[in-house]
Amino acid sequence: MRRPDRPPRPARRFRLAPRRLVVLLPAWAWLALFVAAPALVLLGIALGEYDTGVPPFRPPLGPGGAWQGTLANFAAVATDPFYRDGFLRSLLVAFATAALCLLVGYPMALAMARAPEARRTPLLLAVLLPFWTGFLIRVGAWIGLLRDEGWLNGVLRALGVIGEPLPLLYSDLAMYVGMVHAYLPFAVLPLYAALARRDPAVEEAAADLGARPAVVFVTVTLPLSAPGAAAAFLLVFIPAAGEFVIPDLLGPPEAQLVGRMLWGEFFQNRDWPLAAALAVALLAVLILPVRLFQRLEAGR
């Protein structure tokens, strides 16, 4: 006897929806409270006008909800050469820092991935060791190394290489050295994760077919690690674009980057609307690399 067809069961996602909502609700609340709300407040300040009162701006919404905001702050950021050049210089510094971190970090990550299992953990700890020291202490150490009476000039003068001390501190060289030292672990870790997951048998097969080590690296190892390299580049580029402490303490006085301009407008000129417009513009510029990083993470 043929059994009657049973009605279709409801999809499992409807049963799991309340549980999923309970799990996701704290994360959504956290993002709304500490990400979305501050961003909206920052945007509201950027749309306001400078005022001499406390706080030093007039909100974009007046009494009764009347609109009294302005786009003049964003226009100044886009048209004033001082701010425009600062943005371009910040992006160039972030790009160069990310590229240098890749050049320095890739051999380190490859050596760690090819090391025996017993040595990988100590090598990882060595990469993470700078994080165990305060950020300002690390920058202060570079000041002691690079100043005119510092260790580096002292060693070079003792060896007879130079007669007068080299102007290393407060230069582009010092700024890039500090930036690479600070952000190098952000490049090494994703590179190591990508290289550690590769199949060594593929490289061995290419070598067995007659490929030289350089050819194996270019045609096999490098393409396999390309997603990790892209993620490493973005992980360094995104925070380096808004860096303030290192350019201010190690860089030249003329290095007016976005971080320095934000500090000056907020705390020296007290022009909060213009400073907020700078911050919103920087956030808008960095949305594209953030989205690229999310796409790379989703595709891994």
Side-chain angles (χ1 to χ4, degrees), residues 5-50:
D5 295 334
R6 296 182 178 179
R9 295 182 178 179
R12 292 181 58 87
R13 63 175 180 271
F14 295 108
R15 294 182 177 180
L16 295 177
R19 300 179 185 177
R20 187 177 303 175
L21 181 62
V22 170
V23 173
L24 294 179
L25 189 59
W28 290 344
W30 178 276
L31 292 175
L33 184 61
F34 295 104
V35 178
L40 290 176
V41 171
L42 194 66
L43 180 60
I45 297 175
L47 294 174
E49 291 186 353
Y50 173 76

Side-chain angles (χ1 to χ4, degrees), residues 151-246:
W151 289 5
L152 186 56
N153 275 311
V155 171
L156 293 177
R157 295 179 67 178
L159 295 176
V161 178
I162 59 174
E164 297 294 328
L166 296 175
L168 300 176
L169 191 59
Y170 309 126
S171 63
D172 288 332
L173 175 63
M175 180 177 64
Y176 283 116
V177 168
M179 296 277 281
V180 171
H181 177 254
Y183 290 107
L184 185 60
F186 292 97
V188 174
L189 294 180
L191 284 170
Y192 168 73
L195 290 169
R197 290 196 304 265
R198 81 192 193 287
D199 188 1
V202 181
E203 297 176 347
E204 295 173 0
D208 292 339
L209 292 174
R212 296 181 178 180
V215 177
V216 174
F217 174 77
V218 173
T219 59
V220 179
T221 308
L222 197 59
L224 290 176
S225 61
F233 183 90
L234 293 175
L235 277 176
V236 175
F237 177 84
I238 292 170
E243 178 61 44
F244 163 72
V245 176
I246 297 175

Side-chain angles (χ1 to χ4, degrees), residues 89-180:
R89 184 177 177 88
S90 298
L91 296 179
L92 289 176
V93 169
F95 184 90
T97 301
L100 290 172
C101 285
L102 279 182
L103 290 177
V104 176
Y106 198 99
M108 297 172 59
L110 185 60
M112 291 166 55
R114 290 180 175 177
E117 287 287 342
R119 297 182 182 178
R120 291 186 182 182
T121 299
L123 291 175
L124 277 174
L125 291 177
V127 171
L128 296 174
L129 190 61
F131 285 120
W132 299 358
T133 307
F135 183 76
L136 290 176
I137 296 177
R138 284 181 278 157
V139 177
W142 280 113
I143 294 176
L145 288 171
L146 299 175
R147 61 193 179 98
D148 292 348
E149 298 80 15
W151 289 5
L152 186 56
N153 275 311
V155 171
L156 293 177
R157 295 179 67 178
L159 295 176
V161 178
I162 59 174
E164 297 294 328
L166 296 175
L168 300 176
L169 191 59
Y170 309 126
S171 63
D172 288 332
L173 175 63
M175 180 177 64
Y176 283 116
V177 168
M179 296 277 281
V180 171

